[in-house]
């Protein structure tokens, strides 16, 4: 009995964790297709253990007293977790490269869920469906004129009945191989999409997702083989736990990618919520076990006084709950939050890098690399004031193969000069009329303008395109960009002053050399 209760508890915790993870990802950015696809596959994965746990509690008894699960709608709902496989396929279509944009009819992607829905309906309503088909066959085979007319219909329905019976008999094998085919195709798309990535953070995220998918697939195949070729109650138990391991490993890798590498660009507040919820559940569960079992493990030590000592022990651990909770929170934060995705760490590293760089080209490369790695910006364009021509110019880069000098009176440039903080490009529509700069920025797909201003004038600005993998710019991103822009202004100013000082030194050396030549001639 305790083993069954423990199994039900594990199913509840596993399913609850995955559903909570799915809600966290979807709520963070519901408008993003990648977040919706990831939330859907994790939610479907969590439905399996939750429905199994509910089925163990709400179960009907057969005539012989054994559990009758064939007609239990609640128990058969665990088959809805198989929607995880088409959801994984849809996820592989949108991450790391969004292929659905090229689909002429993107809504047709929902047809990939049809086999799993047929499976759920077949097992849940099989006997009702067979009864209905038999009734239709008998009705069509009645004697008389209508019976002769409906004879072909009766033959057709009888074939459908045979097909349904065959599918029901071989459903485990048939739909098991179907699910494996889904995962293999999804892994293929993920592998192909990874080859197009250059961003190191996206590569790390994709690698983790692929490892989670591979391990989940391996455990699922083992559970499938156990159910199919080893017919025994022990095989059912082993197969169930292997399946739960596959689901938990896959979800665990997603959770690790979110917390450690900011997968799906999940904001800090949601990552903290995920960590604190998981640690709170573990801590509270540990306390409950200690409270319920304290008398058992204290009896060998204190004998008849174990009950009194257990009360003192429970009181002690309750007093220590708050300090332990704070200590666990600090440990988790130090382990997971101060990573390369932590904005405080990004600002600190960026400050150390740019403070000692005076070469303008190397400085721009460092800024571009930081934005692409930390904020996942796809492309970065520099528009800076050029002292040689006395005008602003779009600098040449890997993504822009020509240097373009701008008119100082350009309307868009004047609008950007009024900005003090990072701003979305769409909010500058009032300055687009007749602007050559606006036309160029629109062709480049710019989404955010990052002005760089000192106390006197505009040094220039950065034009940022959309983020990689379809991520969106969040409030955290704009706060980070605002802090980085101030450091960029300082770094660019120092580089300009350093270049001016080198130029003055060079001129002084030339003047001194010319003076010495004149003196030698005299």
């Amino acid at each position: 009995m305790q083993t069954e209760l423990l199994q039900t508890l594990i199913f509840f915790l596993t399913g609850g964790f995955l559903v909570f993870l799915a809600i966290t990802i979807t709520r963070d950015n519901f408008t993003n297709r990648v977040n919706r696809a990831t939330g859907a596959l994790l939610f479907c994965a969590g439905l399996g253990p939750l429905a199994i746990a509910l089925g163990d509690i709400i179960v009907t008894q057969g005539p012989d007293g054994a559990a009758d699960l064939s007609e239990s709608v609640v128990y058969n709902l665990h088959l809805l977790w198989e929607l995880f496989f088409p959801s994984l396929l849809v996820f592989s279509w949108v991450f790391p490269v969004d292929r659905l944009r090229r689909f002429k009819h993107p809504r047709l992607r929902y047809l990939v869920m049809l086999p799993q829905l047929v499976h759920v309906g077949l097992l849940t309503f099989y006997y009702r469906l067979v009864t209905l088909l038999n009734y239709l066959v008998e009705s069509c085979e009645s004697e008389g004129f209508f019976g002769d007319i409906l004879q072909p219909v009766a033959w057709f329905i009888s074939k459908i009945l045979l097909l349904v019976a065959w599918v029901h008999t071989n459903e485990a094998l048939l739909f098991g191989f179907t699910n494996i085919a889904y995962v293999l195709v999804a892994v293929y798309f993920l592998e192909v999409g990874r080859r197009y990535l250059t961003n190191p953070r996206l590569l790390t995220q994709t690698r983790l997702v692929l490892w989670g998918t591979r391990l989940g697939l391996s455990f699922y195949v083992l559970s499938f083989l156990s159910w199919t070729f080893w017919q025994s109650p022990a095989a059912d138990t082993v197969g169930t736990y292997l399946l739960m391991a596959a689901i938990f490993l896959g979800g665990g890798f997603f959770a690790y990618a979110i917390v450690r590498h900011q997968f799906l660009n999940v904001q800090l507040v949601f990552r903290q919520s995920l960590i604190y919820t998981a640690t709170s559940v573990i801590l509270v569960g540990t306390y409950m076990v200690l409270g319920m079992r304290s008398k058992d493990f204290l009896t060998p030590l204190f004998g008849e006084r174990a009950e009194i000592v257990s009360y003192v022990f429970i009181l002690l651990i309750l007093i220590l709950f708050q300090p332990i909770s704070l200590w666990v929170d600090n440990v988790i934060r130090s382990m997971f939050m101060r990573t390369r995705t932590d904005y405080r760490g990004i600002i600190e590293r960026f400050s150390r890098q740019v403070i000692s760089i005076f070469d303008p080209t190397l400085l721009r490369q460092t800024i571009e690399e930081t934005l692409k790695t930390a904020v996942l910006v796809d492309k970065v364009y520099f528009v800076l004031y050029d002292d040689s021509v006395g005008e602003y110019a779009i600098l040449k880069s890997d993504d822009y193969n020509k240097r373009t000098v701008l008119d100082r009176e350009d309307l868009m440039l004047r609008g950007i000069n009024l900005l003090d903080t990072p701003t979305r490009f769409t909010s500058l529509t009032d300055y687009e009329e007749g602007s050559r700069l606006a036309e160029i920025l629109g062709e480049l797909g710019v989404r955010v303008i990052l002005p760089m201003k000192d106390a006197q004038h505009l040094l220039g600005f950065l034009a940022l395109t959309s983020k990689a993998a379809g991520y969106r710019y969040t409030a955290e991103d704009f706060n980070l960009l605002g802090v980085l822009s101030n450091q960029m202004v300082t770094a660019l100013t120092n580089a300009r002053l350093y270049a001016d000082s080198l130029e003055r030194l060079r001129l002084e050396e030339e003047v001194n050399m010319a003076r010495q030549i004149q003196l030698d001639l005299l």
Side-chain angles (χ1 to χ4, degrees):
M1 186 65 182
Q2 292 182 352
T3 304
E4 295 177 356
L5 180 61
L6 179 61
Q7 175 178 314
T8 303
L9 181 61
I10 292 175
F11 288 160
F12 264 121
L13 292 178
T14 303
F17 168 74
L18 293 176
V19 170
F20 171 75
L21 188 60
I23 294 174
T24 300
I25 292 172
T26 308
R27 185 178 60 173
D28 180 60
N29 185 9
F30 183 78
T31 59
N32 191 7
R33 184 180 290 167
V34 181
N35 288 59
R36 295 199 304 271
T38 308
L41 70 92
L42 292 176
F43 182 79
C44 293
L47 283 180
L50 285 178
I52 290 177
L54 290 175
D56 291 339
I57 299 172
I58 309 172
V59 65
T60 59
Q61 298 295 324
D64 57 351
D68 183 12
L69 304 179
S70 60
E71 292 295 308
S72 174
V73 176
V74 175
Y75 185 82
N76 284 328
L77 283 179
H78 80 277
L79 294 172
L80 286 176
W81 86 270
E82 291 187 353
L83 293 176
F84 165 83
F85 297 101
S87 299
L88 178 63
L89 181 58
V90 174
F91 170 78
S92 68
W93 288 342
V94 298
F95 182 87
V97 179
D98 192 349
R99 297 176 176 86
L100 289 181
R101 294 179 180 178
R102 299 193 293 267
F103 282 17
K104 294 183 179 179
H105 305 286
R107 295 187 181 275
L108 292 179
R109 67 183 182 274
Y110 297 114
L111 291 178
V112 299
M113 298 185 179
L114 186 60
Q116 282 70 25
L117 294 177
V118 170
H119 190 199
V120 175
L122 180 65
L123 291 185
T124 305
F125 306 106
Y126 172 72
Y127 294 106
R128 296 181 179 88
L129 180 61
V130 169
T131 302
L132 176 61
L133 291 175
N134 283 324
Y135 174 76
L136 292 176
V137 171
E138 293 174 359
S139 300
C140 294
E141 290 180 345
S142 60
E143 298 180 357
F145 177 73
F146 288 103
D148 296 336
I149 295 178
L150 296 176
Q151 192 67 28
V153 178
W155 178 86
F156 181 72
I157 295 176
S158 64
K159 297 301 180 184
I160 294 178
L161 182 60
L162 291 175
L163 177 62
V164 169
W166 179 84
V167 173
H168 183 267
T169 304
N170 302 279
E171 55 87 15
L173 192 64
L174 180 63
F175 290 100
F177 280 114
T178 301
N179 294 334
I180 292 176
Y182 272 104
V183 178
L184 292 176
V185 175
V187 170
Y188 167 77
F189 279 115
L190 289 173
E191 290 282 2
V192 173
R194 190 181 63 166
R195 298 173 186 174
Y196 295 99
L197 296 178
T198 56
N199 191 294
R201 264 181 62 195
L202 277 180
L203 283 170
T204 303
Q205 294 173 3
T206 308
R207 192 179 299 113
L208 284 173
V209 171
L210 277 170
W211 270 110
T213 306
R214 292 165 184 159
L215 289 175
L217 174 61
S218 301
F219 277 92
Y220 175 73
V221 171
L222 291 176
S223 67
F224 171 68
L225 295 176
S226 175
W227 282 331
T228 305
F229 301 105
W230 184 21
Q231 300 293 334
S232 67
D236 293 339
T237 303
V238 172
T240 301
Y241 281 109
L242 286 173
L243 180 59
M244 291 303 102
I247 296 174
F248 190 78
L249 278 175
F253 269 86
F254 272 91
Y256 182 78
I258 289 172
V259 173
R260 189 72 175 178
H261 299 284
Q262 203 179 358
F263 176 55
L264 299 177
N265 203 32
V266 175
Q267 299 182 50
L268 179 64
V269 63
F270 290 106
R271 286 186 285 154
Q272 288 178 335
S273 175
L274 175 63
I275 295 173
Y276 294 158
T277 300
T279 54
S280 298
V281 169
I282 295 173
L283 186 61
V284 171
T286 304
Y287 263 67
M288 290 179 62
V289 173
L290 290 176
M292 291 187 296
R293 298 294 182 182
S294 59
K295 183 179 178 180
D296 296 337
F297 64 77
L298 289 174
T299 299
L301 298 176
F302 297 96
E304 297 178 354
R305 294 177 297 175
E307 184 174 358
I308 299 176
V309 176
S310 66
Y311 294 148
V312 177
F313 176 75
I314 293 173
L315 180 62
L316 178 63
I317 62 176
L318 288 176
I319 294 174
L320 296 176
F321 179 82
Q322 185 65 22
I324 293 175
S325 177
L326 291 176
W327 177 78
V328 170
D329 290 344
N330 291 330
V331 170
I332 294 297
R333 186 183 295 110
S334 63
M335 289 175 59
F336 291 98
M337 291 306 169
R338 292 196 61 81
T339 63
R340 296 190 65 84
T341 61
D342 181 19
Y343 286 165
R344 293 168 297 180
I346 293 171
I347 295 171
E348 182 181 349
R349 289 192 301 273
F350 183 73
S351 300
R352 289 200 305 265
Q353 288 177 328
V354 301
I355 196 173
S356 59
I357 299 177
F358 299 103
D359 181 18
T361 302
L362 182 58
L363 180 60
R364 290 196 299 269
Q365 291 177 354
T366 303
I367 293 173
E368 182 177 358
E369 181 182 355
T370 300
L371 292 177
K372 288 185 175 181
T373 303
V375 194
L376 292 178
V377 179
D378 194 14
K379 297 178 182 179
V380 180
Y381 301 100
F382 288 84
V383 181
L384 300 177
Y385 186 78
D386 192 339
D387 293 321
S388 60
V389 296
E391 298 288 351
Y392 292 92
I394 304 176
L395 303 185
K396 183 178 179 181
S397 64
D398 295 337
D399 303 317
Y400 190 74
N401 56 8
K402 60 180 179 179
R403 177 176 174 275
T404 304
V405 178
L406 303 174
D407 185 3
R408 186 187 294 268
E409 300 300 322
D410 189 285
L411 186 60
M412 177 59 69
L413 186 60
R414 294 170 62 182
I416 294 175
N417 192 24
L418 300 176
L419 300 178
D420 294 319
T421 58
T423 306
R424 297 186 185 275
F425 183 62
T426 53
S427 63
L428 298 172
T429 53
D430 295 338
Y431 303 96
E432 290 183 350
E433 185 177 357
S435 171
R436 172 59 180 162
L437 176 59
E439 182 180 350
I440 296 175
L441 297 181
E443 293 175 354
L444 296 176
V446 172
R447 295 290 180 268
V448 174
I449 299 296
L450 182 60
M452 294 183 293
K453 302 175 70 172
D454 59 10
Q456 298 178 352
H457 62 283
L458 179 70
L459 299 180
F461 64 91
L462 301 185
L464 312 180
T465 63
S466 57
K467 298 181 69 173
Y471 296 161
R472 67 183 176 101
Y473 287 96
T474 63
E476 291 181 359
D477 293 331
F478 280 97
N479 292 334
L480 174 63
L481 291 174
V483 176
L484 293 181
S485 66
N486 296 329
Q487 297 180 347
M488 292 176 196
V489 169
T490 303
L492 290 172
T493 302
N494 291 339
R496 175 177 291 182
L497 293 176
Y498 181 74
D500 292 342
S501 64
L502 290 180
E503 182 66 18
R504 284 198 301 271
L505 289 175
R506 186 182 64 82
L507 291 176
E508 289 178 1
E509 290 179 358
E510 291 180 355
V511 170
N512 292 332
M513 185 178 298
R515 183 183 296 111
Q516 185 63 39
I517 292 174
Q518 290 178 351
L519 291 175
D520 292 342
L521 291 175
L522 292 174

